[in-house]
């Protein structure tokens, strides 16, 4: 692909803007300054502007470690949107592949590929999500069986789909819950229906994609090809 087209597509710049950026001498391909818009960038070519890598144009797939206090939507008059944590061009074309509540932390996937995110969010595809849950009161002996059978939630016609529960630390009321749907406030409502209360909630995994341990709250990284494909191949 031509270098000027690469920048137009990757940055959402006009051809005129891309030409100006290239002429400034601040654009490198594989570490070499390139001043011509017609320069051909190879498939593996690494483009950078002011020493910052410019991701290849095309669909984007990002994992974000969502901290407490951020909402998963573009606009919220009250809280910060988690999008402020991303420093990427063309933000308006990105969306959350499944949301977390403002006080839930952990793995959030962000993309501009609607078909890919549909595989994650549509209950039809049964994409599993793993949550670490801390409850206010002791974990009931019957919880694992009840979540496996499905729980009747208020204002829902059908019970929740079978879920898996594993106790992590009984004394701390800490457990892992795997669900394959994403009903509104689902985890909190499931434990409320069991007479308990979720004190803290953290998402660790979506399908085969695990929250990268090297990320701190508020950090993000692009997914690997293997991670992207795992959503199609599950
Ligand atoms: N279930 C909830 O109750 N909250 C979340 O943020 C995610 C799942």
């Amino acid at each position: 692909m031509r270098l000027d087209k690469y920048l137009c597509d990757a940055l959402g710049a006009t051809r005129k803007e891309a030409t100006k950026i290239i002429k400034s001498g601040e654009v490198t391909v594989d570490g070499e300054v390139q001043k011509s818009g017609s320069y051909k960038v190879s498939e593996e070519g690494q483009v950078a502007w002011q020493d910052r890598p410019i991701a290849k144009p095309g669909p984007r797939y990002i994992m974000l470690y969502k901290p407490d206090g951020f909402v998963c939507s573009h606009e919220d008059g009250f809280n910060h949107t988690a999008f402020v944590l991303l420093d990427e061009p063309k933000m308006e074309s990105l969306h959350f592949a499944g949301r977390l509540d403002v006080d839930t932390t952990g793995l959030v996937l962000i993309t501009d590929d609607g078909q890919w995110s549909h595989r994650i969010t549509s209950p039809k595809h049964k994409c599993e999500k793993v949550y670490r849950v801390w409850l206010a009161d002791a974990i009931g002996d019957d919880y694992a069986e009840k979540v496996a059978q499905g729980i009747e939630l208020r204002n829902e016609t059908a019970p929740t789909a079978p879920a898996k529960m594993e106790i992590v630390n009984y004394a701390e009321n800490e457990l892992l819950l795997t669900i394959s749907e994403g009903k509104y406030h689902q985890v909190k409502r499931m434990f409320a229906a069991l007479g308990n209360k979720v004190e803290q909630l953290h998402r660790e995994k979506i399908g085969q994609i695990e929250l990268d341990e090297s990320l701190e709250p508020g950090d993000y990284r692009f997914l690997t090809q293997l991670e992207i494909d795992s959503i199609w191949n599950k």
Side-chain angles (χ1 to χ4, degrees):
M1 182 189 289
R2 285 173 58 111
L3 182 55
D4 47 11
K5 174 144 176 45
Y6 187 107
L7 290 185
C8 288
D9 292 355
L11 300 176
T14 61
R15 182 60 67 97
K16 203 168 154 193
E17 287 163 343
T19 307
K20 199 166 156 205
I21 292 169
I22 295 164
K23 289 269 182 281
S24 71
E26 292 172 341
V27 176
T28 57
V29 181
D30 298 325
E32 302 258 323
V33 173
Q34 298 298 343
K35 287 193 163 184
S36 165
S38 62
Y39 180 86
K40 284 274 176 348
V41 183
S42 70
E43 256 313 293
E44 293 79 35
Q46 301 287 322
V47 179
W49 176 28
Q50 295 178 333
D51 296 330
R52 207 171 151 242
I54 303 293
K56 216 161 112 184
R60 291 176 287 175
Y61 306 91
I62 293 169
M63 81 159 63
L64 167 72
Y65 185 160
K66 187 185 104 52
D68 185 10
F70 290 80
V71 290
C72 292
S73 61
H74 268 284
E75 286 296 329
D76 180 304
F78 190 65
N79 297 287
H80 290 299
T81 148
F83 280 124
V84 300
L85 301 166
L86 305 187
D87 183 15
E88 295 299 323
K90 297 200 280 183
M91 291 294 298
E92 65 289 350
S93 59
L94 294 171
H95 63 267
F96 294 96
R99 297 169 181 218
L100 291 179
D101 297 336
V102 64
D103 56 351
T104 303
T105 58
L107 177 61
V108 169
L109 298 176
I110 297 169
T111 184
D112 47 14
D113 182 341
Q115 288 188 336
W116 187 80
S117 60
H118 184 72
R119 292 293 286 237
I120 294 171
T121 55
S122 154
K124 196 176 96 194
H125 293 294
K126 297 191 171 63
C127 176
E128 292 190 334
K129 288 102 189 170
V130 180
Y131 292 88
R132 190 170 289 263
V133 186
W134 288 266
L135 295 173
D137 298 316
I139 300 168
D141 294 340
D142 55 350
Y143 283 10
E145 197 186 322
K146 287 205 164 138
V147 301
Q149 281 167 355
I151 291 180
E152 308 256 351
L153 299 181
R154 280 168 62 123
N155 305 325
E156 298 284 348
T157 46
T160 55
K164 282 174 264 178
M165 197 194 97
E166 184 193 325
I167 297 175
V168 178
N169 186 330
Y170 189 77
E172 299 284 332
N173 306 337
E174 181 185 347
L175 58 92
L176 289 175
L177 182 75
T178 305
I179 58 175
S180 56
E181 315 162 281
K183 291 189 165 85
Y184 183 64
H185 294 327
Q186 179 160 341
V187 178
K188 291 174 185 167
R189 288 164 73 208
M190 284 171 76
F191 287 103
L194 292 171
N196 212 318
K197 185 172 185 296
V198 172
E199 290 265 279
Q200 207 184 323
L201 189 56
H202 178 81
R203 185 157 64 193
E204 300 199 334
K205 198 170 170 190
I206 296 175
Q208 295 307 311
I209 305 174
E210 291 188 57
L211 181 60
D212 190 324
E213 283 183 5
S214 69
L215 296 180
E216 297 288 338
D219 286 352
Y220 70 96
R221 72 156 167 83
F222 284 86
L223 297 189
T224 64
Q225 196 57 50
L226 221 65
E227 288 169 330
I228 297 165
D229 294 344
S230 72
I231 295 296
W232 295 115
N233 303 332
K234 88 184 161 52

